[in-house]
Amino acid sequence: MSKRSVLKDYDQGGFYCEMLGSAERPLPDTLPLRKHLEEIGLASLKRRAAAAEDELYNLGITFTVYTEAEAIDRILPFDVIPRVLTSGDWATIERGVKQRVAALNLFLKDVYGKQQALKDGIVPKHLVLKNENYKKVMCGLKLPEDTYIHICGIDVVRDDSGEFQVLEDNARCPSGVSYVVENRHLMLRTFPDLMDNIGIKPVSDYGVHLLNALAEVAPAGVMDPQVALLSPGFFNSAYFEHVFLAREMGVPLVEGQDLYVDDDDCVYMSTVGGPKRVDVIYRRINDDFLDPEVFNKKSMLGVPGLMRSYLKGKVSLANAVGTGVCDDKAVYAYMPRLIKYYLDEDAILSNVPTNICGEKDALKYTLSNLDKLVTKPVGEAGGYGVVVGPRSTKAELEELKKRVKADPAGYISQPMIRLSVSPTLIEGKVEPRHVDLRPFAVTGKDTWVLPGGLSRVALKRGSLVVNSSQGGGSKDTWVLEEGGES
């Protein structure tokens, strides 16, 4: 019996396809992968996909959806057909991400320093100084290597023409890198034949790069810094990732109760062998819960006195306090200007055009075109609050109009981008599903970008929302080595 073809009945539906490209821009680089998929056949692909899902359960690779009271943990759905980036595509993304991270760090140094960009009107003052993530306590603090964002996730999409655009900056505690590495390990175990003679850039050295970068930003004079990862604990949605990253770096995973600040204003970790000083903390706790002496006084997750130690330069925090200013979707709209202002360069990766509803003309345009736009609350993450106008009912749009009118500064709107699609195994058939990409950049003295990143896939037919909390899944992301075969 002949094998049933994997891609024979696949229809990309008029979208740019990450596997096939488009009529104007075909992708010959993916031909080896397509041949391997046909050699495997659809029946074998389905069997191995089921085995991969079982392995995810067995390994405990999970996340939590807080809005679902009946479900504590669930696996992140994983699609076994990889998303492929050519070496040329990756070179553009890598340069664009490095440029963006450099501008973001310069912007934060300025925001908590001379505030020259605000004085020059590059960004409206109120967007920064009245932002809930702006932390005045950081003003005047000199950070090692002037690095505020040590770990950054830049959300990138591809449009109909095959061009990449930045959708969002994640500068606080970007999550998802554990899935990048574990997805690759899973593919190596389940589909080793799919990678035969295809040169793919590795991702397994992320922990080494992260640890080196964190060591580079240790307090002055510390030669062999002790790094620790600070987690809110077991019930956090990304706890699996915290365990994973601590293991990959070979550093202790601690909670607030494991740390204390002594009379010398240094941070110590309680161990069975006695107190041990901690020099660098990769914190996966939001600013407001870090130190009850300075922020939320009821916080049980943080470390009393931590900010006192930080402000005296006796411990380094990654990411720095106050980086959430750059997470704001309204500030995001000014990134091309900030890149030009600080680096005197044009943006390598353009923004999706954005209307800031806090501005009179943009508000008027948004309210008149809600049915054509994607409207987002500026402070939300995880896809919450996003309204896709062309796919919303009249009642939903009327309710949205009331919310935007009541709080214009709390919203932005963007045109609906025809996101690229990727072949995805759905209930035994291969169908197109929209995808985005989150490359992860690690910065100490300089910036390194993990090849590929997290490809998130909207598993619901026609959906543009790829977030795991909204029913999205992930794929392994292959960055092809220049020259093709390994």
Side-chain angles (χ1 to χ4, degrees), residues 46-71:
K46 289 191 287 186
R47 284 196 302 272
R48 292 200 240 178
E53 184 169 307
D54 289 342
E55 188 168 346
L56 288 173
Y57 275 114
N58 294 335
L59 291 173
I61 302 174
T62 63
F63 71 100
T64 303
V65 180
Y66 294 128
T67 55
E68 297 182 4
E70 75 280 1

Side-chain angles (χ1 to χ4, degrees), residues 355 357 360-371 373 375 397-398 400-406 408 413:
N355 308 298
C357 296
K360 185 178 179 181
D361 290 343
L363 174 62
K364 182 179 178 182
Y365 176 79
T366 298
L367 291 175
S368 300
N369 294 276
L370 286 176
D371 59 330
L373 299 169
T375 307
L397 292 175
E398 282 300 319
L400 173 63
K401 182 178 284 190
K402 292 177 184 176
R403 294 200 302 269
V404 174
K405 281 184 175 180
S413 67

Side-chain angles (χ1 to χ4, degrees), residues 89-351:
D89 280 345
W90 177 246
T92 299
I93 293 171
E94 184 179 39
R95 287 189 302 112
V97 167
K98 286 183 176 181
Q99 179 194 58
R100 204 163 178 104
V101 169
L104 286 167
N105 274 309
L106 288 168
F107 175 55
L108 287 166
K109 180 185 177 183
D110 188 15
V111 162
Y112 294 114
K114 297 180 179 179
Q115 299 186 346
Q116 198 61 48
L118 306 187
K119 294 173 184 174
D120 290 343
I122 305 301
V123 178
K125 286 184 180 180
H126 71 274
L127 284 184
V128 173
L129 303 184
K130 292 186 178 180
N131 190 309
E132 65 178 11
N133 294 304
Y134 172 71
K135 304 301 179 186
K136 197 171 182 178
V137 69
M138 291 292 292
C139 289
L141 180 62
K142 168 70 175 171
L143 296 183
E145 305 299 333
D146 291 329
T147 299
Y148 287 75
I149 305 173
H150 308 84
I151 303 95
C152 192
I154 306 289
D155 289 351
V156 178
V157 296
R158 200 199 296 251
D159 63 18
D160 252 3
S161 66
E163 298 301 316
F164 294 104
Q165 294 180 313
V166 174
L167 191 63
E168 194 170 292
D169 301 299
N170 296 277
R172 279 179 287 184
C173 298
S175 63
V177 73
S178 58
Y179 301 114
V180 178
V181 181
E182 288 290 9
N183 285 352
R184 178 62 52 81
H185 291 168
L186 190 60
M187 289 297 289
L188 286 167
R189 290 190 295 270
T190 317
F191 289 90
D193 47 343
L194 203 56
M195 301 181 179
D196 280 351
N197 298 317
I198 299 178
I200 307 168
K201 289 183 180 291
V203 297
S204 295
D205 54 350
Y206 179 82
V208 174
H209 284 278
L210 177 57
L211 182 61
N212 290 341
L214 295 177
E216 289 174 352
V217 296
V222 178
M223 302 306 295
D224 184 20
Q226 173 64 63
V227 177
L229 193 153
L230 176 61
S231 169
F234 178 78
F235 290 103
N236 183 263
S237 63
Y239 187 70
F240 161 77
E241 178 155 291
H242 304 167
V243 174
F244 172 87
L245 289 172
R247 185 186 70 218
E248 291 290 298
M249 289 191 288
V251 304
L253 176 66
V254 298
E255 297 178 25
Q257 61 191 358
D258 301 318
L259 303 177
Y260 65 93
V261 178
D262 212 341
D263 294 338
D264 59 1
D265 292 323
C266 294
V267 179
Y268 291 89
M269 172 175 55
S270 300
T271 75
V272 292
K276 183 172 179 59
R277 182 173 172 180
V278 176
D279 306 294
V280 182
I281 297 174
Y282 176 18
R283 49 95 175 206
R284 297 296 294 258
I285 295 177
N286 289 340
D287 291 350
D288 290 341
F289 297 96
L290 267 179
D291 183 350
E293 290 183 4
V294 177
F295 302 121
N296 187 336
K297 300 187 186 308
K298 295 181 180 179
S299 173
M300 303 290 288
L301 302 175
V303 183
L306 180 59
M307 286 300 296
R308 186 171 70 248
S309 178
Y310 184 45
L311 295 173
K312 290 185 177 181
K314 296 193 175 184
V315 69
S316 294
L317 297 178
N319 285 342
V321 172
T323 58
V325 167
C326 293
D327 268 18
D328 190 283
K329 293 179 177 67
V331 172
Y332 149 91
Y334 293 89
M335 276 307 298
R337 297 185 205 176
L338 291 171
I339 290 170
K340 189 70 175 178
Y341 183 75
Y342 291 116
L343 303 176
D344 195 24
E345 298 170 357
D346 293 327
I348 296 168
L349 298 173
S350 62
N351 271 24

Side-chain angles (χ1 to χ4, degrees), residues 6 37 40-51 79-82 187 190-191 194 424-425 429-430:
V6 172
L37 283 170
I40 289 173
L42 187 60
S44 179
L45 189 73
K46 289 191 287 186
R47 284 196 302 272
R48 292 200 240 178
D79 183 63
V80 295
I81 303 177
M187 289 297 289
T190 317
F191 289 90
L194 203 56
T424 305
L425 187 63
K429 297 183 293 184
V430 177

Side-chain angles (χ1 to χ4, degrees), residues 5-22:
S5 171
V6 172
L7 297 172
K8 181 182 177 183
D9 298 323
Y10 173 72
D11 179 4
Q12 64 197 76
F15 295 96
Y16 185 93
C17 177
E18 298 291 336
M19 181 78 75
L20 305 177
S22 64

